[in-house]
Amino acid sequence: MQFLWKWIDELVGKGLEWNIITELFSFAALQMIPLALPMAVLLSSLMTFGNMAEHYELAALKSSGLSLIRIMRPIFIFTFFIMIGAFMFSNYVLPYINLKAMSTLYDIHQQKPALNVKEGVFYNPGVDGYSIRINKIDDDGQVLRGIMIYDHSEQAGNVQLTIAEYGKMSVTADNSFLVLELKNGETYRENWDVQNAAITKPFIRIKFKEQVTRIDLSALKMVRTNPELFKENDKMLTGGQLLSYIDTMKQSVREDKSAFYSQLSNAYLHKIKTYWKSIDSLKVKPKNENFMLALSSPEKARTFELALNNARNCKAAVESKLNEIDSEEKSIIRFKIEYWKKWSLSVACLLMFFIGAPLGALIRKGGLGLPVVISIVFFLLFWVMSIVGEKLSKEGTVPAEFGMWFGCLTFVPLGFWLTKKATADSGMFDSVGIITRVRNLFRKKKVSDPDPPTEI
């Protein structure tokens, strides 16, 4: 739904075929898999162990001498393979999906609106050289009445106008041409010399009973772009390719900094030295900071002016280069974020298992009620922490290596703590006990009656 509302303006009104829409939504669904897998592992493990604890299956297994860690081992192995599969999907399949999705969205963005003629208005639906006006369209959507067509295809202005009482509109089978079968009309034309900007022949009027006009609709077709044009985007690369790009960009930044310092020295610092040496009035050129005392007033003014101009130019060049280097470093950070995201979301599957399994054993509730609520809360906390780490990484506040693991690192202590509590058979998550304690907090204390008098 988020994808739909984000791109709804690009999809509506362009006459896209159903297979293009289906392809686009399939790509959008597949892009959610790396994010959905940790949530699925958390919910399924919590439901499984909560159901086993609720029906005393865990108690029966523990009574036979098995520890909770031993009970969790087979599912842990299965989750480990899920983690590997999640990484393989993010590393090899997801870049291809992102590539196809981006190229399809680009093609849709370039697509012109579909032909949709309305009554009583001039309509130019992206078909170059034609403006169409229809007074009335019959209920069948094909018979048109009061047709007016301006032909601008010769790029000479309003030199040709066709009017017809009624006609029929259809589109060829391959959607290449719009066919207008006009009845009882006239065509008015002025022969215009484009080069000399003058009318070369008299006005022409043609009256017809039937005329067929074909309008080329090739401009309305969606042209598929070669996806290879987008392959250097960070989301279209595998882990190895990302590391290669990162090394290349780092080397480029180092070389750029070194070359800029040499250019700066030759372009600006060398100019003032050359000017000092060219001053003929100095018989002896001092080598200390008091050399300005030996210059005349005009020479001092020219020296100050040259120094000021060089300083301003140097400042502008440095600021421009700093912005360029900052952009390159942000690109490096973006590539690092994408690389570590593949690992962090994959490891999150394993982490969510060590939260969901012991938590299910502690709350002793299965089904789709409480486990779903708890899973959503925990996963939202994890996702918020991950978004915060990613944002801090993009701003350069923390290294990308730390920022993308921020969500996982935050939940590691929680996983150890829950596993320890579940292994020790702690009852702190007993739902009945929690509800009882909450009720006791809001229950009014009864005032105790005074002791009855003792009988003598």
Side-chain angles (χ1 to χ4, degrees):
M1 292 304 299
Q2 180 186 8
F3 175 84
L4 175 62
W5 292 120
K6 182 178 180 181
W7 296 101
I8 189 68
D9 293 338
E10 298 289 345
L11 302 177
V12 173
K14 293 190 174 181
L16 300 174
E17 298 178 359
W18 66 269
N19 59 327
I20 300 295
I21 301 296
T22 304
E23 178 183 345
L24 194 60
F25 277 89
S26 299
F27 291 147
L30 292 173
Q31 288 174 334
M32 295 293 107
I33 289 180
L35 182 60
L37 277 176
M39 176 69 176
V41 171
L42 174 63
L43 178 60
S44 59
S45 58
L46 198 153
M47 290 176 61
T48 300
F49 281 84
N51 191 57
M52 292 174 67
E54 185 178 9
H55 294 85
Y56 300 100
E57 295 175 0
L58 284 181
L61 291 171
K62 290 178 181 178
S63 64
S64 64
L66 296 176
S67 64
L68 181 63
I69 301 299
R70 178 65 182 85
I71 297 172
M72 291 169 55
R73 186 184 301 172
I75 307 181
F76 164 75
I77 296 174
F78 179 71
T79 308
F80 181 78
F81 283 106
I82 291 180
M83 181 190 70
I84 296 177
F87 176 76
M88 299 295 287
F89 182 88
S90 298
N91 194 46
Y92 296 106
V93 181
L94 189 59
Y96 176 78
I97 294 173
N98 291 334
L99 180 63
K100 298 291 289 185
M102 177 173 283
S103 62
T104 304
L105 284 172
Y106 176 80
D107 296 337
I108 292 175
H109 178 72
Q110 299 297 323
Q111 171 75 2
K112 294 183 179 180
L115 186 65
N116 185 18
V117 181
K118 298 181 180 180
E119 295 180 354
V121 295
F122 281 100
Y123 184 72
N124 184 11
V127 180
D128 296 335
Y130 291 92
S131 293
I132 304 173
R133 185 181 185 275
I134 307 297
N135 287 339
K136 189 177 183 306
I137 302 177
D138 287 358
D139 295 337
D140 58 4
Q142 292 186 348
V143 178
L144 316 175
R145 302 191 182 276
I147 305 171
M148 181 181 296
I149 303 174
Y150 279 97
D151 186 353
H152 308 147
S153 57
E154 297 182 3
Q155 305 296 325
N158 296 330
V159 296
Q160 180 169 324
L161 170 64
T162 300
I163 299 176
E165 291 183 6
Y166 66 97
K168 186 177 181 181
M169 179 177 65
S170 61
V171 180
T172 57
D174 57 354
N175 295 325
S176 298
F177 292 92
L178 174 66
V179 181
L180 293 171
E181 300 177 6
L182 308 178
K183 307 287 186 180
N184 299 335
E186 295 179 345
T187 297
Y188 306 95
R189 177 179 177 82
E190 292 179 347
N191 291 329
W192 186 265
D193 189 351
V194 179
Q195 295 181 353
N196 299 324
I199 298 176
T200 59
K201 293 182 180 180
F203 177 76
I204 299 176
R205 176 182 176 185
I206 302 174
K207 190 173 183 179
F208 59 86
K209 289 187 178 181
E210 182 176 349
Q211 177 177 300
V212 177
T213 301
R214 290 180 175 85
I215 300 177
D216 188 6
L217 297 180
S218 59
L220 300 181
K221 291 186 176 181
M222 189 177 75
V223 181
R224 302 308 296 264
T225 306
N226 186 4
E228 296 297 318
L229 298 175
F230 307 96
K231 66 179 181 180
E232 293 186 359
N233 188 280
D234 57 304
K235 296 185 181 297
M236 322 300 173
L237 302 174
T238 63
Q241 292 172 336
L242 287 170
L243 290 177
S244 177
Y245 272 80
I246 290 171
D247 292 339
T248 302
M249 287 188 291
K250 285 183 177 179
Q251 181 65 25
S252 176
V253 170
R254 287 193 294 266
E255 294 176 354
D256 202 9
K257 289 180 179 179
S258 177
F260 178 70
Y261 177 77
S262 301
Q263 295 172 2
L264 192 68
S265 177
N266 295 331
Y268 298 104
L269 302 181
H270 183 68
K271 286 184 178 180
I272 191 69
K273 295 179 181 180
T274 304
Y275 178 73
W276 296 337
K277 292 180 181 180
S278 65
I279 299 177
D280 298 331
S281 62
L282 290 179
K283 295 181 180 180
V284 178
K285 293 182 172 57
K287 298 182 180 180
N288 53 32
E289 64 276 4
N290 296 323
F291 71 94
M292 294 292 293
L293 299 175
L295 299 178
S296 62
S297 296
E299 290 170 342
K300 287 181 180 180
R302 287 195 298 271
T303 302
F304 280 120
E305 184 179 359
L306 177 64
L308 184 60
N309 291 335
N310 276 277
R312 289 173 177 170
N313 294 335
C314 182
K315 179 184 178 182
V318 170
E319 289 177 349
S320 176
K321 180 56 67 174
L322 287 177
N323 292 333
E324 181 181 341
I325 292 176
D326 182 65
S327 177
E328 292 176 353
E329 290 178 345
K330 286 183 178 179
S331 297
I332 294 175
I333 293 175
R334 192 175 68 250
F335 276 67
K336 285 183 177 180
I337 288 174
E338 191 63 30
Y339 174 77
W340 290 110
K341 184 185 291 186
K342 298 177 185 296
W343 288 97
S344 61
L345 288 179
S346 302
V347 175
C349 296
L350 200 62
L351 178 61
M352 291 301 168
F353 168 74
F354 280 104
I355 293 177
L359 190 59
L362 290 172
I363 64 175
R364 299 183 177 92
K365 289 290 181 181
L368 290 173
L370 186 62
V372 172
V373 176
I374 295 177
S375 298
I376 292 175
V377 171
F378 273 93
F379 187 76
L380 284 178
L381 290 174
F382 166 77
W383 188 240
V384 168
M385 294 297 179
S386 300
I387 292 296
V388 170
E390 183 175 351
K391 182 176 178 60
L392 293 176
S393 300
K394 288 181 178 179
E395 295 175 352
T397 306
V398 298
E401 294 83 354
F402 174 79
M404 296 313 299
W405 288 100
F406 185 65
C408 292
L409 294 176
T410 305
F411 275 71
V412 166
L414 179 62
F416 276 109
W417 182 71
L418 289 175
T419 304
K420 181 179 178 181
K421 288 293 182 181
T423 304
D425 291 328
S426 174
M428 64 178 298
F429 282 94
D430 185 9
S431 59
V432 177
I434 293 175
I435 294 174
T436 303
R437 285 193 290 269
V438 171
R439 286 177 178 174
N440 291 335
L441 289 176
F442 295 96
R443 183 178 296 170
K444 294 183 179 179
K445 260 187 167 183
K446 292 183 179 180
V447 181
S448 57
D449 296 331
D451 296 335
T454 55
E455 296 182 357
I456 300 176

